[in-house]
Amino acid sequence: MPYEVQGVVARGKGQEVSLETVVVPDPGPGEAVVNVQACGVCHTDLHYREGGINDDFPFLLGHEAAGTVEAVGEGVTGLEPGDFVILNWRAVCGQCRACLRGRPWYCFATHNARQKMTLKDGTELSPALGIGAFLEKTLVAAGQCTKVSAEAPAQVAGLLGCGVMAGIGAAINTGGVTRGDSVAVIGCGGVGDAAVLGASLAGAARIIAVDVDDRKLEWARGFGATHTVNSRENDPVEAIRDLTGGFGADVVIEAVGRPETYEQAFYARDLAGTVVLVGVPTPEMRLELPLIDVFGRGGALKSSWYGDCLPSRDFPMLIDLFLQNRLPLDKFVSETIGLDQVEEAFAKMHRGEVLRSVVIL
């Protein structure tokens, strides 16, 4: 029988979210129903509410989540009721050209549940990033469930489902940060601070955090930043160069997603250095750079989607590091809230007052 549960829905562009009854079908072939225990409030959810992703309203928000499997559909293997899982929005297919070339983190055919969750009147919902986890139970593709140790608290584990994994992966997987490197991170919200943490984990010798908010810069120090730059008060390109012997950083990670901060990242890197874009721009944004500078400076300009992660590889490894007290994922949790407080959490996030508000179900 279908489940009727409470979930957070965005009915229209810019409208405040509402708590509504959602009908979740039994899992079909290749699907799973998950009891959501915790879900982080990510900026992407706000993008959905504001119409910044697409206009497929109404949206069922929430995607940065962990919980236990309630039921699985026909043909599902390696997953059973009771398993503790982190939900991921990149369920690799195993058959596309990227997967067959041994690069599944670039999978071109990631998949979601085939069935739709609905409102009680039958209105189909569009789940955020194919998950929709501000919800007591959610329906996903079985491949979106990554098993990890149940010893990890759900409010911590779920953060790897999006923002924290995006930042750590931007440093380690996309940027290739390694021991002795100099790294600059522009934008020190949840994703940027996760990039700082990833650079620290990889052994970077110098990690320069850049933001306009001294409070966020202090948070970045707590995740391993060795130097901070307030870009309201100082030119960030000059400051990064001054802190790296006049050369620029080996890797610059842009975690804002704006043309002006990307340009700063481009000129703040060393010759043959790497720029990683992990901040999410909006569709109308445009970037203009002198092509001679792109040619003359060499190096690499990369984008990082979900931290180029492979959930089956990265999630269990990072949870193990957390359980060994080697990765302070719990520092990202600013507060825990209920489903009825998501709108307030959006406002706090917009004002820069929290790294992550986490809904507990």
Side-chain angles (χ1 to χ4, degrees), residues 40 63-66 85-89 146 148 152-169 194 197 306-307 309-311 313-322 327 329 332 356:
H63 59 279
E64 196 177 74
V85 297
I86 299 172
L87 299 182
N88 73 78
W89 48 270
T146 304
V148 297
Q155 63 262 37
V156 170
L159 299 181
L160 294 179
C162 191
V164 171
M165 184 70 254
I168 291 176
L197 179 58
Y306 209 179
C309 78
L310 183 59
R313 175 196 66 195
D314 295 340
F315 289 5
M317 177 266 293
L318 293 172
I319 288 296
D320 285 347
L321 289 177
F322 166 74
L327 194 69
L329 298 177
F332 287 96
R356 271 298 184 270

Side-chain angles (χ1 to χ4, degrees), residues 19-39:
L19 191 59
E20 308 207 20
T21 299
V22 175
V23 179
V24 181
D26 286 324
E31 296 175 342
V33 169
V34 175
N35 296 311
V36 179
Q37 296 178 339
C39 184

Side-chain angles (χ1 to χ4, degrees), residues 263-319:
E263 184 174 347
Q264 291 169 354
F266 178 82
Y267 287 109
R269 66 180 176 136
D270 196 358
L271 290 174
T274 298
V275 174
V276 176
L277 174 65
V278 68
V280 181
T282 54
E284 76 279 1
M285 290 180 178
R286 296 291 183 269
L287 177 69
E288 183 174 325
L289 288 170
L291 192 57
I292 188 63
D293 286 354
V294 176
F295 172 78
R297 297 181 67 82
L301 308 178
K302 297 182 175 184
S303 61
S304 183
W305 208 33
Y306 209 179
D308 288 339
C309 78
L310 183 59
S312 60
R313 175 196 66 195
D314 295 340
F315 289 5
M317 177 266 293
L318 293 172
I319 288 296

Side-chain angles (χ1 to χ4, degrees), residues 53 134 161 189 197 200 342:
I53 305 295
F134 290 149
L197 179 58
S200 178
V342 168

Side-chain angles (χ1 to χ4, degrees), residues 93-115:
C93 73
Q95 299 298 320
C96 71
R97 61 192 186 278
C99 289
L100 293 176
R101 293 176 67 189
R103 302 173 182 174
W105 47 89
Y106 293 137
C107 178
F108 300 113
T110 58
H111 51 281
N112 302 318
R114 292 182 179 274
Q115 299 183 88

